[in-house]
Amino acid sequence: MSQGKVAFVTGAGSGIGKGTALAFAEAGYAVAIADRDEAAGAAAEAELRAAGHSAAFFACDVTDDASVAAAVAETVERFGGLHAAFNAAGIEGEHGKLTAEGTLDNWNRVIAVDLTGTWLCLRHQIPAILKSGGGAIVNCASVAGILGAPAFSAYVAAKHGVVGLTRTAAIEYVRQGVRVNAVCPGTIATPMNQKLDPELLKGLLAISPAGRMGLVSEVARTVVFLCSEGAGFINGQAISVDGGWNAQ
Ligand SMILES: NC(=O)c1ccc[n+]([C@@H]2O[C@H](COP(=O)([O-])OP(=O)(O)OC[C@H]3O[C@@H](n4cnc5c(N)ncnc54)[C@H](O)[C@@H]3O)[C@@H](O)[C@H]2O)c1
């Protein structure tokens, strides 16, 4: 158990972020729920509190440096420190256009949320964790952070960037007591995938050795483990949670 510890989760209003906020709470952390969707964030806070957990929602747009700075500062003020973070806020952007056909608008949006947003979070989380005596951060990449995927170039580029950023921050800060890892989920049953074209989803499941979608709880438990003492020598890794997709 991690009583007295504080976790900060972005994208915690939905899907993988929300499930991981619950998993941190169940492991004994006080949890900061950060999301740009205020209704979803407030609902996630209410659910955790109703289950007897310590949780607070902070409105936060990860593409806005001042917004991230404020959410991290408010978390430290409210709970007294920061020991773990999971950066799950993300969008997949447009699908279906080859690299030479995608729009600049889609490229900029996906890079801003998925890659720049992750960097802005690290930029404010690392100093807060250092001041709290050390801890661990997990960034949410994807199987698309390891493999290419046709007609998804902005997302693939952003998620590969998240893996590179993770490796670099990991080697920079480990001696000061902050470990940084990434998780690379395969297709997980979340609202993000409910928006996908059913034919595309069928194709994704067909190429997955497990032949099923992963559960949010399977990613969430991996993240909580990576932030635990048991993972104390795991640093700078991109851990696949994909039923073997990337082993092929
Ligand atoms: N679902 C999957 O199959 C899958 C697979 C691999 C990786 N991922 C990654 O997992 C993460 C979570 O995905 P999900 O499926 O839970 O998605 P989701 O759409 O269910 O949740 C994403 C959350 O991020 C929030 N968000 C989006 N932009 C934001 C911003 N600028 N600032 C703050 N919050 C913002 C949304 O409001 C939402 O609550 C993403 O980074 C995604 O790329 C998902």
Side-chain angles (χ1 to χ4, degrees):
M1 294 297 276
S2 298
Q3 245 75 29
K5 292 201 172 167
V6 180
F8 181 97
V9 181
T10 73
S14 175
I16 293 172
K18 185 175 180 180
T20 306
L22 173 63
F24 272 124
E26 287 174 344
Y29 289 81
V31 182
I33 293 161
D35 204 293
R36 72 171 172 193
D37 181 334
E38 300 200 11
E45 176 194 284
E47 279 176 46
L48 286 190
R49 287 202 183 175
H53 300 303
S54 181
F57 167 59
F58 301 102
C60 173
D61 181 343
V62 298
T63 65
D64 177 348
D65 189 50
S67 172
V68 178
V72 171
E74 285 164 28
T75 298
V76 170
E77 196 181 316
R78 174 72 165 266
F79 294 121
L82 186 64
H83 309 93
F86 178 46
N87 295 316
I91 56 170
E92 59 191 356
E94 290 169 4
H95 178 258
K97 290 188 174 151
L98 299 183
T99 298
E101 296 160 359
T103 63
L104 180 58
D105 180 54
N106 180 64
W107 177 271
N108 285 338
R109 232 164 26 92
V110 172
I111 297 292
V113 178
D114 294 0
L115 180 54
T116 309
T118 302
W119 173 63
L120 291 177
C121 287
L122 293 179
R123 188 169 138 71
H124 296 291
Q125 291 160 351
I126 290 169
I129 293 177
L130 287 171
K131 272 192 207 138
S132 306
I137 300 174
V138 178
N139 295 319
C140 196
S142 166
V143 69
I146 296 177
L147 303 173
F152 244 137
S153 52
Y155 186 74
V156 169
K159 293 300 189 180
H160 274 66
V162 168
V163 171
L165 180 61
T166 299
R167 291 184 176 133
T168 298
I171 56 181
E172 287 172 341
Y173 290 99
V174 67
R175 289 197 184 196
Q176 294 176 65
V178 183
R179 293 180 298 103
V180 188
N181 289 290
V183 282
C184 298
T187 309
I188 308 297
T190 72
M192 185 182 260
N193 282 329
Q194 282 161 12
K195 292 176 225 146
L196 277 185
D197 169 6
E199 280 308 304
L200 172 65
L201 193 55
K202 223 163 96 185
L204 290 176
L205 293 183
I207 53 174
S208 164
R212 68 165 174 92
M213 281 201 255
L215 305 176
V216 165
S217 62
E218 291 170 323
V219 181
R221 286 181 198 171
T222 305
V223 173
V224 174
F225 167 69
L226 287 171
C227 292
S228 73
E229 280 175 24
F233 210 47
I234 302 178
N235 188 41
Q237 300 306 302
I239 306 288
S240 295
V241 186
D242 66 0
W245 186 341
N246 145 53
Q248 299 174 97

